[in-house]
Amino acid sequence: MHLLRVVGVRVELPANQPVVLLREADGPRYLPIWIGAPEASAIAFHQQGIQAARPLTHDLLRDVVEALGAKLESVHITELRDDVFYAELRFAGGVSVSARPSDAVALALRCEVAIYGRNEVLDAAGIEIPDEQEDEVERFREFLDNVTPEDFATDG
């Protein structure tokens, strides 16, 4: 398992498809996972410190977990099968719940828990960005600083 950090979300053009970008904490690989617009907004909201007047889905789930006395310990990106990523929410007491990676990442951010990726997933889907492309990563970070959740709204 490798500890992953959330770099952020962006929209891939021309398909207008949001992607969450994770980076290996102990290595050079990035893990891009294509996600839905609502999950992209939830991640972007949290990263920008935006709080809705009423709890959004991932805020509600965090609050329910806490109200039930459970503790989310970590999130694991466990598998890539047929171009679909799989994740697990790992709770205290050894309880695991299957989840979409987008939901798992949004919840991990809200619960401030670690996100891990299996070696096999990073080997299959991880990409290395050479040093000369680091400026592209810096431009991506600048994009994240300026993107708004409305940028992920869909027209339909």
Side-chain angles (χ1 to χ4, degrees), residues 55-70:
L56 299 176
T57 303
H58 300 97
D59 300 311
L60 175 63
L61 183 54
R62 177 203 56 217
D63 294 348
V64 168
V65 167
E66 289 174 3
L68 294 173

